[in-house]
Amino acid sequence: MRHAAPFAQQTSKFVLFRIHQGPLRWAFFVQVMCDVNDRINVFAGAHFDRLGHLRSDSGWIDRCFDEGRAVWVPVWNDSNLVITEPKQQAVLLPSDALPQDSRDKCILLGEFGDQVCFAVDLGESTKEQPPPMPHGVFRGLRTVGLLFPNDQAALLAYAQAMVLWHRRHRYCGRCGAPSSSHDAGHELRCNNTDCAQVIFPRIDPAIIVLIEYEGRALLGRQPAWPTGIYSTIAGFVEPGESLEDAVRREASEETGINVGAVRYHSSQPWPFPSSLMLGFRAHATDSRISLNDNELEDARWFSREDVRAALLSGKLRVPPQLSISSRLIAHWYDDGEAGRLAAIIDNITQS
């Protein structure tokens, strides 16, 4: 597939896609649940040009550094370099802020504004202090990701995901030989010439679903979660399984609920370390809950009034807005009146 671009011809339910592949021209509609104007999930959005066609152009990359267009997006442990006061923003270090040999392990992220961004791994250690930086502090995106503008949050998530992928593939999975970085960090090749396996970045798809039955939503909680937090049902997609099949399997395994109709909602990159959360809404065919696999300690049906009363009493907490789970719950609760759930949570927070 050479080119695929969504056009702006969209209703609240369908998007027209046109596909250009050589001399062929295709067009098809995809049914979606969200309007163009709906907010995107945290870490998502095409906020920068990834410059995939330039990853193998070493001369161009050298010029970016030599001409001062290159900036570093550092990752240490699983944290990004940020400024949190007085204004939250990502720290992009000038190219001369790190040693010259950092270029050897740079990972091209893309063009962000008028700068070309490269992720760099500054190491991982639970015992050592982070390396000294001219600006900012290292913070985990789980903690501060929601504080940043969408474009900066997406850039930091991309940097973290790529660095973590490199760390997990230092050696060839086929023969065990060390691997080396190519194509500006987007390809790892086995150094054993008899093997020469090429490894590309991978993500782990996971479904996350808001299941409904007669106006109520199914929410569950794991025993390790903070007291009172309930969330939507989620789980990894298994090999040989469609997304819809994964929704139905996870619902059955975790809660004993049988699911009928399944509809796509939205998706979210989740670089902790390498997931892509694929959000759905689905309808149950029955309401009898059975905790089959012991992954959840509790699951129950909530009406909108149940959610409101439990939130106000402090007996229920929903996931933070960083997570797509929060958006799925809000989309169900608001029922076409955006902001209803957020207003309740804001009032609780301010009181």
Side-chain angles (χ1 to χ4, degrees):
M1 185 178 295
R2 297 292 180 85
H3 305 285
F7 279 55
Q9 298 142 303
Q10 181 175 6
T11 71
S12 62
K13 297 223 181 250
F14 293 92
V15 181
L16 173 62
F17 281 80
R18 290 179 178 170
I19 307 299
H20 302 266
Q21 186 176 33
L24 301 179
R25 301 291 186 269
W26 303 338
F28 59 93
F29 284 98
V30 174
Q31 188 172 15
V32 297
M33 298 194 66
C34 304
D35 294 342
V36 170
N37 295 324
D38 276 5
R39 67 178 177 86
I40 61 173
N41 295 313
V42 181
F43 307 136
H47 302 290
F48 43 88
D49 186 345
R50 298 190 176 216
L51 302 175
H53 61 293
L54 293 172
R55 290 170 183 167
S56 60
D57 191 338
S58 58
W60 174 82
I61 291 174
D62 287 339
R63 289 194 298 273
C64 287
F65 282 98
D66 295 340
E67 297 169 3
R69 292 188 64 204
V71 293
W72 295 113
V73 184
V75 177
W76 178 76
N77 277 351
D78 57 356
S79 300
N80 296 87
L81 189 62
V82 299
I83 294 173
T84 57
E85 294 180 355
K87 180 182 178 181
Q88 293 84 13
Q89 62 184 48
V91 175
L92 307 180
L93 296 177
S95 57
D96 59 0
L98 295 178
Q100 179 78 13
D101 62 3
S102 298
R103 290 196 196 184
D104 297 335
K105 53 183 179 180
C106 71
I107 304 169
L108 175 62
L109 301 178
E111 190 172 42
F112 187 77
D114 59 354
Q115 298 172 308
V116 180
C117 298
F118 293 84
V120 62
D121 186 1
L122 298 184
E124 52 181 334
S125 172
T126 58
K127 298 180 180 179
E128 298 178 5
Q129 293 296 313
M133 293 286 110
H135 315 286
V137 293
F138 284 96
R139 293 287 184 267
L141 282 182
R142 284 178 182 266
T143 304
V144 300
L146 197 60
L147 302 177
F148 297 92
N150 284 342
D151 56 351
Q152 295 185 26
L155 181 69
L156 296 178
Y158 184 24
Q160 183 171 135
M162 289 300 297
V163 165
L164 295 180
W165 174 71
H166 270 253
R167 289 177 184 170
R168 283 163 170 75
H169 294 85
R170 289 172 174 150
Y171 298 91
C172 174
R174 179 187 292 168
C175 73
S179 58
S180 56
S181 179
H182 296 264
D183 276 8
H186 289 262
E187 184 179 298
L188 293 173
R189 299 178 190 170
C190 176
N191 292 338
N192 177 2
T193 56
D194 292 330
C195 176
Q197 177 172 231
V198 179
I199 310 165
F200 298 99
R202 295 288 189 269
I203 56 172
D204 301 316
I207 61 89
I208 184 164
V209 57
L210 189 291
I211 300 172
E212 305 168 64
Y213 184 79
E214 296 182 350
R216 297 177 294 165
L218 179 64
L219 302 177
R221 61 168 281 107
Q222 295 183 8
W225 291 351
T227 301
I229 287 189
Y230 280 74
S231 184
T232 47
I233 305 304
F236 287 104
V237 181
E238 295 187 350
E241 187 174 49
S242 73
L243 299 177
E244 296 85 354
D245 292 341
V247 167
R248 296 185 176 99
R249 175 184 54 76
E250 285 289 344
S252 177
E253 287 180 355
E254 294 190 6
T255 67
I257 295 297
N258 295 314
V259 166
V262 176
R263 294 180 67 191
Y264 175 74
H265 180 277
S266 61
S267 63
Q268 181 186 32
W270 195 248
F272 309 112
S274 58
S275 296
L276 176 64
M277 305 304 297
L278 298 143
F280 294 87
R281 288 181 66 173
H283 286 274
T285 60
D286 59 75
S287 62
R288 183 177 178 275
I289 295 172
S290 175
L291 303 181
N292 294 331
D293 63 1
N294 297 318
E295 186 169 332
L296 301 178
E297 71 171 9
D298 188 30
R300 61 182 71 172
W301 293 102
F302 289 84
S303 67
R304 290 175 177 82
E305 181 54 36
D306 291 336
V307 169
R308 179 181 178 277
L311 285 172
L312 292 174
S313 69
K315 295 180 180 179
L316 173 67
R317 297 163 60 192
V318 294
Q321 293 182 8
L322 184 77
S323 165
I324 187 177
S325 178
S326 173
R327 186 179 177 197
L328 288 168
I329 295 171
H331 194 259
W332 162 79
Y333 185 93
D334 293 350
D335 193 25
E337 298 179 32
R340 291 173 61 198
L341 183 61
I344 295 173
I345 295 173
D346 288 344
N347 288 335
I348 294 171
T349 303
Q350 294 170 8
S351 62

